[in-house]
Amino acid sequence: MTVKPAARHYLQFRDFTRDEYNHLFERTRWIKGEFKAYRRYWPLADRTLVMIFEKASTRTRLSFEAGMQQLGGTAIYLNTRDSQLGRGEPVEDTARVISRMCDLIMIRTFEQSMVEQLAAASRVPVINGLTNEYHPCQVLADIFTFIEQRGPIAGKTVVWVGDGNNMCNTWIQAAETLDFKVHVSSPPGYEIHPDQLGLKDDSHFQVFADPMAACRGAHLVTSDVWTSMGFEAENEARMKAFADYCVDEEMMAVAAPDAVYMHCLPAHRGEEVTAGVIDGPQSVVWDEAENRLHAQKALMEYLLLGRVDVK
Ligand code: CP
Ligand code: NVA
């Protein structure tokens, strides 16, 4: 009897090596080029992606659903409200059933531990589409966007201004994997917990009390909502705590002259970023959003087919 190798999953950024990321970025570039030239590429014909959403989404749903269709496959949307997950069916049983019918699972939920449980019981690859702890698909697209706009990210400095949240955690893991530096500036009470990120050491991030100091000389400045999904009850306290953590023209002025601004979106102009910055010349947020589509197509291709030769 031949034993099928266990499925690879993409649950946090450090699940892949630098070499695998280099492959994914090359494939993203090629897949994007084919799509832009209206050339059909259907390597996932007859394959089915299940997307489970326990939180709201615009970009993640669009990019996975459109991406799977553009690769020749099908995507099915499930949410907690209309599926048995919301009525207490164990996540392991859900994983076993999906594994018998479909080829790939993308899940957006609250605790990372839920995604880990799902993956442990799944015979098919599981992708983290955002948890309270991580958002690896977004940072995958963000780094592709940086490379596309400015070249290699190794040795560069990324600034995170704001909450020590899922996006921030993922940037820190990415810095270690791809050898760049993250400057983190968060208000008291909303700092990062690097001991929970499974890092080898502390050499790829630095904490700054002053966001202006964090931005000095940086190549990429990024911020995110002050209140992430699932933390809405804290909104009032967060509005006060984050008041000095708005990325504005002054912060961009002390960054490198060719620095880019990124935001995973949705954005709140006047809170975590001024309209002048997010709608200004250094902002690459629309390329960043579009690249979710291309990068995740490369990710799904890799998880289902392994290394397809870079053309
Ligand atoms: N950036 C992001 O994941 O967007 P959605 O919440 O709209 O999916
Ligand atoms: N940190 C945000 C990202 C949204 C894409 C959240 O978790 O709500």
Side-chain angles (χ1 to χ4, degrees), residues 1 12-13 15 26 42 45 58 73-74 79 92 110 114 147 182 194 205 211 311:
M1 194 181 85
Q12 42 185 299
F13 200 91
D15 285 349
E26 275 302 296
W42 278 6
T58 297
T74 303
N79 64 33
E92 290 85 354
F110 295 86
M114 197 273 207
I147 295 168
V182 184
F205 71 90
K311 299 210 171 74

Side-chain angles (χ1 to χ4, degrees), residues 52 54 79-80 83-91 94 107 114:
I52 304 172
E54 301 206 273
N79 64 33
T80 320
S83 72
Q84 299 291 5
L85 265 171
R87 298 181 61 253
E89 180 165 18
V91 66
T94 306
I107 177 159
M114 197 273 207

Side-chain angles (χ1 to χ4, degrees), residues 149-150 249 252 257-261 275-285 287:
Q149 302 270 341
R150 296 288 186 267
E249 288 77 349
M252 292 307 293
D258 67 344
V260 291
Y261 173 77
V277 170
I278 196 169
D279 299 320
Q282 287 169 284
S283 172
V284 294
V285 298
D287 291 298

Side-chain angles (χ1 to χ4, degrees), residues 59-120:
R59 280 145 288 271
T60 303
R61 178 173 179 185
L62 267 177
S63 52
F64 272 104
E65 190 161 339
M68 193 60 181
Q69 283 170 13
Q70 290 162 17
L71 293 174
T74 303
I76 296 174
Y77 172 86
L78 292 181
N79 64 33
T80 320
R81 205 178 47 250
D82 309 329
S83 72
Q84 299 291 5
L85 265 171
R87 298 181 61 253
E89 180 165 18
V91 66
E92 290 85 354
D93 290 358
T94 306
R96 289 181 189 113
V97 171
I98 295 176
S99 297
R100 298 290 180 110
M101 301 187 195
C102 303
D103 304 281
L104 187 59
I105 303 172
M106 190 287 303
I107 177 159
R108 165 168 289 196
T109 188
F110 295 86
E111 284 82 29
Q112 180 75 9
S113 56
M114 197 273 207
V115 174
E116 309 270 351
Q117 274 173 275
L118 183 84

Side-chain angles (χ1 to χ4, degrees), residues 53 55-63 108 129-130 135 138 167 224 229 263-266 288-289 292 296:
F53 283 94
K55 288 177 176 171
S57 169
T58 297
R59 280 145 288 271
T60 303
R61 178 173 179 185
L62 267 177
S63 52
R108 165 168 289 196
L130 182 146
H135 196 4
Q138 182 69 54
M167 280 295 299
D224 185 13
M229 291 180 280
H263 190 308
C264 63
L265 305 174
E288 188 188 351
R292 291 288 302 276
Q296 289 163 193

